[in-house]
Amino acid sequence: MEHPSEVFVSNYGSFLGKKSERLVLKENGQTVLEVPFYELQNIIIETSGASISTDCIKECMQRGIPISFLSSTGKPYATIISPHLTGTVVTRRAQYEAFKDKRGVQMVKLFVEGKLKNQVNTLKYFAKYRKSADKELFNNVQSVIDKIETTAQELKEITGNCINDVRGQIMSAEGRAGNLYWQGIKLLTAGKIDFPGREHAGAADPMNSLLNYGYGILYGKVEKCLILAGLDPYAGFLHVDRSGKESLVYDFVEEFRQPVVDRVVVAMINKGIPIEMEDGQLSQKTRRDLAERIKERLDTAERFQGKKYRLQTIIQMQARRIATHLRGEARYKPYVSGW
């Protein structure tokens, strides 16, 4: 029998416990799932009405299985991770020191470069199916792509001795490219959904709700990978440090938003998958559907550095490459998805 590598808990009254070498999920006192701990990679708890036993937590920590907690909108508010998975002191010292020198500038430029290239390739991926069917739409999207690529060229001209010197310039280029990208997404989903434009916290429309919830799931994946690579998820470069803000998670996630989440969400919209809303939020059914599709996407093999790897493996590989880049052992190259 095949077991899930990720357990998603969303029903009120759910209980997670340990039975021998297996995780047990109960709902209303009835066992609905048993999974061997050795097969588990992650546990996500989305409901405020769940409980978990301490022996289950201990087993997860000993096996390096993170337990993530999401709000109903997909925003992570806590993660339990073993303190023994925090990597080396050398890596974190290099990370903190890089904030004050050119390594930090270079790191951010590479993150943003990857993001913009993936924005372009996501638009190309969906536009290629319209080249014959709707030439005008194809040309309009191509015009957006051209403008993003022009904006991306500005990154090469930005130089500085530390990230504080150039943050404004980089964020300006990133922001302008982002506005163009969402214009392209709006063109590609026109007639399928009413997309008012990109909105973050508090968005109540279906499209932004899907994106925000999907990104919430991705944040948890990225955080785990950074910690396993020995990095501090709170010490970023582009995103300003603030208590409780996982700045490096927000930096690193940029090159994976489009290939992991945006591809899934736009495909759902264009295929006419029902998006159910309840009280301004995604219904539990839609949240589960989206979570499953993102999991499938992360399990998809993509070509990277001449070979094929699952996307979730690529994220972990890239996290380790951040560490080696900051330690001065190898240059980081952003992941760019195919189209």
Side-chain angles (χ1 to χ4, degrees), residues 208-264:
N208 278 299
S209 296
L210 287 168
L211 291 167
N212 290 341
Y213 193 80
Y215 294 152
I217 294 172
L218 184 58
Y219 293 150
K221 304 285 187 186
V222 166
E223 179 188 20
K224 174 189 174 183
C225 291
L226 291 172
I227 291 173
L228 289 174
L231 294 157
D232 182 348
Y234 292 89
F237 299 96
L238 182 62
H239 292 86
V240 180
D241 294 343
R242 191 172 71 227
S243 179
K245 182 177 180 180
E246 296 165 313
S247 301
L248 187 60
V249 172
Y250 294 125
D251 285 355
F252 181 43
V253 80
E254 297 296 354
E255 71 185 62
F256 293 102
R257 290 182 189 269
Q258 300 79 33
V260 176
V261 178
D262 297 1
R263 282 266 295 263
V264 169

Side-chain angles (χ1 to χ4, degrees), residues 18-42:
K18 175 180 179 291
K19 179 181 178 182
S20 184
E21 299 298 311
R22 303 170 74 85
L23 173 83
V24 178
L25 173 62
K26 292 184 178 182
E27 295 177 358
N28 298 318
Q30 301 295 315
T31 299
V32 296
L33 181 68
E34 289 191 21
V35 184
F37 280 103
Y38 69 83
E39 294 187 8
L40 267 179
Q41 293 184 4
N42 195 30

Side-chain angles (χ1 to χ4, degrees), residues 15 45 50-51 62 77 129 154 156-157 168 171 181 189 209 233 242 259 300 323 338:
F15 169 76
I45 299 175
S51 58
Q62 290 176 338
Y77 62 87
Y129 300 106
E154 296 179 22
K156 297 179 180 179
E157 308 302 322
M171 293 191 77
Y181 172 70
T189 56
S209 296
R242 191 172 71 227
T300 301

Side-chain angles (χ1 to χ4, degrees), residues 42-305:
N42 195 30
I43 297 172
I44 296 177
I45 299 175
E46 186 220 48
T47 176
S48 59
S51 58
I52 182 169
S53 67
T54 53
D55 60 345
C56 179
I57 294 173
K58 182 179 179 181
E59 187 72 25
C60 287
M61 296 305 100
Q62 290 176 338
R63 293 176 179 269
I65 303 167
I67 305 171
S68 302
F69 297 84
L70 305 183
S71 70
S72 59
T73 60
K75 184 177 181 180
Y77 62 87
T79 302
I80 304 176
I81 296 179
S82 170
H84 304 296
L85 300 178
T86 54
T88 65
V89 172
V90 173
T91 296
R92 292 204 171 189
R93 280 180 177 163
Q95 179 182 356
Y96 302 143
E97 290 167 355
F99 184 83
K100 300 177 181 179
D101 60 38
K102 292 182 179 180
R103 284 175 296 173
V105 176
Q106 187 180 48
M107 194 82 261
V108 168
K109 288 175 64 175
L110 290 167
F111 285 151
V112 176
E113 175 189 326
K115 175 181 182 176
L116 270 56
K117 286 183 176 179
N118 282 324
Q119 287 177 337
V120 164
N121 284 359
T122 298
L123 294 176
K124 287 181 177 179
Y125 174 80
F126 287 105
K128 67 183 178 182
Y129 300 106
R130 314 291 182 88
K131 189 170 185 178
S132 300
D134 192 336
K135 188 68 174 178
E136 182 181 0
L137 172 61
F138 177 83
N139 289 336
N140 288 337
V141 174
Q142 186 60 52
S143 175
V144 171
I145 289 170
D146 293 342
K147 291 175 182 176
I148 294 175
E149 290 179 329
T150 298
T151 303
Q153 292 299 313
E154 296 179 22
L155 288 173
K156 297 179 180 179
E157 308 302 322
I158 298 174
T159 58
N161 293 319
C162 73
I163 188 60
N164 285 335
D165 294 340
V166 297
R167 180 178 286 107
Q169 293 173 264
I170 294 175
M171 293 191 77
S172 173
E174 180 192 34
R176 283 180 280 119
N179 288 335
L180 290 165
Y181 172 70
W182 293 115
Q183 288 174 26
I185 293 296
K186 189 168 186 174
L187 289 170
L188 290 166
T189 56
K192 300 284 187 178
I193 197 168
D194 182 17
F195 180 40
R198 183 70 185 112
E199 296 179 12
H200 301 273
D205 66 284
M207 181 74 166
N208 278 299
S209 296
L210 287 168
L211 291 167
N212 290 341
Y213 193 80
Y215 294 152
I217 294 172
L218 184 58
Y219 293 150
K221 304 285 187 186
V222 166
E223 179 188 20
K224 174 189 174 183
C225 291
L226 291 172
I227 291 173
L228 289 174
L231 294 157
D232 182 348
Y234 292 89
F237 299 96
L238 182 62
H239 292 86
V240 180
D241 294 343
R242 191 172 71 227
S243 179
K245 182 177 180 180
E246 296 165 313
S247 301
L248 187 60
V249 172
Y250 294 125
D251 285 355
F252 181 43
V253 80
E254 297 296 354
E255 71 185 62
F256 293 102
R257 290 182 189 269
Q258 300 79 33
V260 176
V261 178
D262 297 1
R263 282 266 295 263
V264 169
V265 169
V266 174
M268 288 178 70
I269 298 302
N270 285 340
K271 289 177 182 178
I273 305 297
I275 310 301
E276 299 177 356
M277 300 291 290
E278 295 176 354
D279 300 321
Q281 297 181 350
L282 299 175
S283 70
Q284 184 181 103
K285 179 182 177 182
T286 297
R287 292 198 299 267
R288 284 196 170 204
D289 185 22
L290 176 59
E292 183 59 34
R293 291 172 187 274
I294 289 175
K295 180 181 179 298
E296 291 174 1
R297 178 64 183 147
L298 286 164
D299 284 335
T300 301
E302 295 286 323
R303 185 160 293 280
F304 180 60
Q305 296 188 337

